[in-house]
Amino acid sequence: MVKLKDTILEADILVTCNPKNSIIKDAAVYVSNGLIRGVGTKREIHKEFSATKIVDGNNKILSPGLVNTHSHSVQTFLRGKADDFALLDWLKKVVLPEEARFASEEVYNSSLLGFAEMIRTGTTTANDMLTTHDSDFGIKAAKEIGIRTRIGKMLMDYSNDFPEIIIEDTETVIESARKQIDEYHQTQNGRVKYSLNARFLLSCSSELMKLIVETKDEYDDLMIHSHASESQAECAEVVRIFGDSYFRSLKKLNALGSETILAHGIWLDDDEYNLVEQTNTRITHNPSSNSKLASGICDVLRYHKLGIIVGIGTDGPPCNNNFDMFQDMRLAAFLQKIKHLDELALPAEKVLRMATIEGAQAINWGTEIGSVEVGKKADLVMTNIDEVNSFPLYNPVSHLVYSASGKDVSMTMIDGEIVFQDGNYLTIDIEKVKRTATEYQEKWTE
């Protein structure tokens, strides 16, 4: 990690994602002590500020770091092991059994590899779910690499034909979560915050959900993070077990609200959409995962018409199979155009905001990150525009959403510190991490 007291980052184009969606050419941003202190043209910034380091932004777009509102870093070692399954089979036959046999070092290295891919592809913040066991090692990985994250262990106490090794009794689940909250919440200069990760209703008892809500209410700035209404088969099981639809069941458990973010949210009836609106619950759209698992298409436009905040997430490598938010931005736009047969649905500017400032708002971090504005945390990304996929470049926002990929990212800064630059990871030994993935593959290849 390059620790810098003050830095000026230059760029051919600055995409701010501020309230006016301002775009500045021949731009520069002054960063001091982890915060953005100046935004303007190169001439303006150099006239007003001096810095110990200047980052050259020739042939670069500078923009806010991307906010991944739903990820499973710990599943990275399972990339390519769970292809072509429906959701419940995907969970029962591959993902949950594989997660259950992770040793502590595998939790650490799998999470670290996932976070490495995120920062390599422009994600500076992740809302991340870990495992039920040894999850402290996943949090350790997040702390060491320097990513900003809401993170926590996976909370499950109900077997429902799932592998019993990953199920804990209700009190143990809550006690271990509280211990992690006390140890990790709002640490690393506020860069690490805890998340109460209830996997989904099919693995959580009513008693556990009530205790999760109580725990959330006892602490400042905690959020509940869960999956909901992802597939029709899952929704049918919820009705069988809880006696009502997914979102009505969550409402009865007092689990909806502005401190809850739910992944997927595809199969809702009219009343359930109204519940999301009335409670100000947040939604994270995961277009690649939903497409690969054939779960359905989230109606993002309907959520937006109701004033509901929606972020974009990658989900995990077994169902994506990567953490490239550029890919998910592009697909999010395309799927809404197909779903509504409307070429104007979810334009590029709106999609980019979903992946930046609105993603930050979805996880209650919007006052600090998600846009390039004076006073905000310096979470910034440079994207190369000198490759063949960048010519011609008429509109930088269109380019970022429809043409760019995570591999175009040349620099990632989090909290004012450069964690990735020009192919180099500055906080971890990436070759060592890659070797651990290969070793895991060789160990478990049948």
Side-chain angles (χ1 to χ4, degrees):
M1 183 182 295
V2 178
K3 292 185 177 293
L4 304 170
K5 185 176 180 181
D6 54 359
T7 309
I8 291 176
L9 299 97
E10 300 177 341
D12 290 354
I13 304 169
L14 171 62
V15 176
T16 66
C17 296
N18 68 12
K20 295 182 179 180
N21 287 318
S22 302
I23 295 173
I24 303 172
K25 294 184 178 179
D26 295 319
V29 173
Y30 174 66
V31 172
S32 179
N33 294 322
L35 297 176
I36 298 169
R37 298 297 189 185
V39 178
T41 64
K42 292 178 188 176
R43 182 176 181 180
E44 291 168 340
I45 295 300
H46 283 289
K47 183 177 180 180
E48 187 173 355
F49 303 101
S50 60
T52 55
K53 181 177 178 63
I54 297 175
V55 179
D56 179 21
N58 187 42
N59 294 317
K60 303 292 191 298
I61 293 175
L62 183 63
S63 61
L66 300 174
V67 179
N68 187 341
T69 51
H70 179 63
S71 65
H72 295 263
S73 63
V74 75
Q75 293 178 357
T76 308
F77 277 9
L78 308 183
R79 191 196 320 267
K81 288 209 74 172
D83 295 336
D84 308 320
F85 283 96
L87 174 65
L88 296 183
D89 285 342
W90 176 87
L91 281 167
K92 292 180 181 181
K93 294 181 179 180
V94 183
V95 173
L96 294 181
E98 290 278 349
E99 280 187 6
R101 69 184 181 188
F102 277 170
S104 58
E105 65 271 17
E106 290 162 342
V107 171
Y108 170 77
N109 286 308
S110 187
S111 300
L112 191 60
L113 183 61
F115 292 135
E117 184 180 356
M118 290 185 204
I119 67 171
R120 167 66 184 87
T121 54
T123 290
T124 54
T125 300
N127 187 35
D128 198 65
M129 288 182 161
L130 293 168
T131 47
T132 57
H133 65 289
D134 292 320
S135 53
D136 294 79
F137 290 87
I139 299 172
K140 176 185 176 184
K143 290 169 62 178
E144 288 183 0
I145 199 168
I147 195 166
R148 188 180 304 282
T149 184
R150 282 194 179 273
I151 194 168
K153 68 172 289 174
M154 191 68 78
L155 310 180
M156 302 169 64
D157 73 336
Y158 180 57
S159 62
N160 194 28
D161 297 327
F162 297 127
E164 291 187 7
I165 192 172
I166 62 171
I167 304 299
E168 300 172 311
D169 68 78
T170 307
E171 289 301 324
T172 299
V173 172
I174 289 298
E175 288 173 8
S176 59
R178 286 176 176 272
K179 182 179 178 182
Q180 287 188 335
I181 293 168
D182 292 337
E183 184 170 356
Y184 302 117
H185 185 48
Q186 295 182 330
T187 60
Q188 303 293 297
N189 191 35
R191 181 172 52 77
V192 174
K193 297 184 181 184
Y194 199 76
S195 180
L196 290 161
N197 293 326
R199 185 154 222 147
F200 62 165
L201 285 183
L202 297 186
S203 63
C204 296
S205 68
S206 295
E207 179 61 24
L208 176 59
M209 291 302 299
K210 291 175 183 177
L211 289 171
I212 288 170
V213 172
E214 289 176 7
T215 302
K216 182 262 298 179
D217 291 340
E218 290 177 20
Y219 292 84
D220 291 332
D221 201 16
L222 279 186
M223 289 193 76
I224 296 171
H225 178 198
S226 188
H227 305 83
S229 294
E230 182 174 358
S231 75
Q232 289 176 305
E234 171 204 16
C235 291
E237 278 291 286
V238 168
V239 171
R240 182 182 68 82
I241 295 170
F242 287 85
D244 211 335
S245 70
Y246 217 122
F247 278 78
R248 278 187 287 274
S249 296
L250 288 168
K251 175 64 170 145
K252 291 175 182 177
L253 295 165
N254 295 317
L256 299 180
S258 61
E259 295 172 324
T260 294
I261 183 165
L262 299 173
H264 309 298
I266 299 170
W267 300 102
L268 285 69
D269 60 30
D270 291 345
D271 175 61
E272 289 180 293
Y273 278 107
N274 290 335
L275 285 176
V276 178
E277 178 189 17
Q278 292 162 10
T279 58
N280 197 22
T281 300
R282 283 74 160 98
I283 299 293
T284 171
H285 176 38
N286 310 282
S288 292
S289 169
N290 296 158
S291 298
K292 186 182 179 189
L293 293 173
S295 298
I297 301 175
C298 175
D299 196 344
V300 174
L301 292 195
R302 184 164 185 177
Y303 285 123
H304 283 166
K305 288 176 182 177
L306 293 170
I308 295 162
I309 300 173
V310 183
I312 295 176
T314 58
D315 214 326
C319 61
N320 187 308
N321 290 31
N322 60 50
F323 287 116
D324 189 343
M325 281 283 288
F326 287 88
Q327 171 182 285
D328 279 278
M329 283 196 289
R330 185 173 188 260
L331 186 56
F334 288 178
L335 288 179
Q336 293 307 296
K337 296 174 194 301
I338 292 171
K339 182 174 181 64
H340 294 277
L341 297 179
D342 179 1
E343 66 276 13
L344 301 179
L346 212 59
E349 187 174 84
K350 181 64 173 177
V351 175
L352 183 59
R353 291 185 68 82
M354 287 174 65
T356 54
I357 183 59
E358 292 177 16
Q361 292 166 350
I363 57 172
N364 292 339
W365 228 325
T367 60
E368 295 184 85
I369 61 171
S371 58
V372 184
E373 299 179 77
V374 172
K376 285 201 166 183
K377 301 283 189 180
D379 290 5
L380 302 165
V381 168
M382 277 188 174
T383 307
N384 185 21
I385 51 173
D386 196 33
E387 296 296 331
V388 291
N389 62 313
S390 302
F391 293 90
L393 200 161
Y394 297 105
N395 181 320
V397 174
S398 170
H399 172 75
L400 290 174
V401 173
Y402 295 134
S403 302
S405 78
K407 292 180 180 180
D408 294 324
V409 170
S410 63
M411 186 223 68
T412 302
M413 171 180 277
I414 302 172
D415 242 6
E417 298 180 354
I418 298 172
V419 294
F420 174 84
Q421 188 172 27
D422 296 330
N424 298 309
Y425 290 87
L426 304 180
T427 56
I428 62 169
D429 181 346
I430 191 60
E431 295 305 319
K432 179 180 178 181
V433 180
K434 288 192 289 186
R435 285 196 299 271
T436 67
T438 301
E439 290 166 2
Y440 182 85
Q441 173 197 348
E442 293 172 347
K443 177 181 177 181
W444 293 108
T445 297
E446 297 177 356

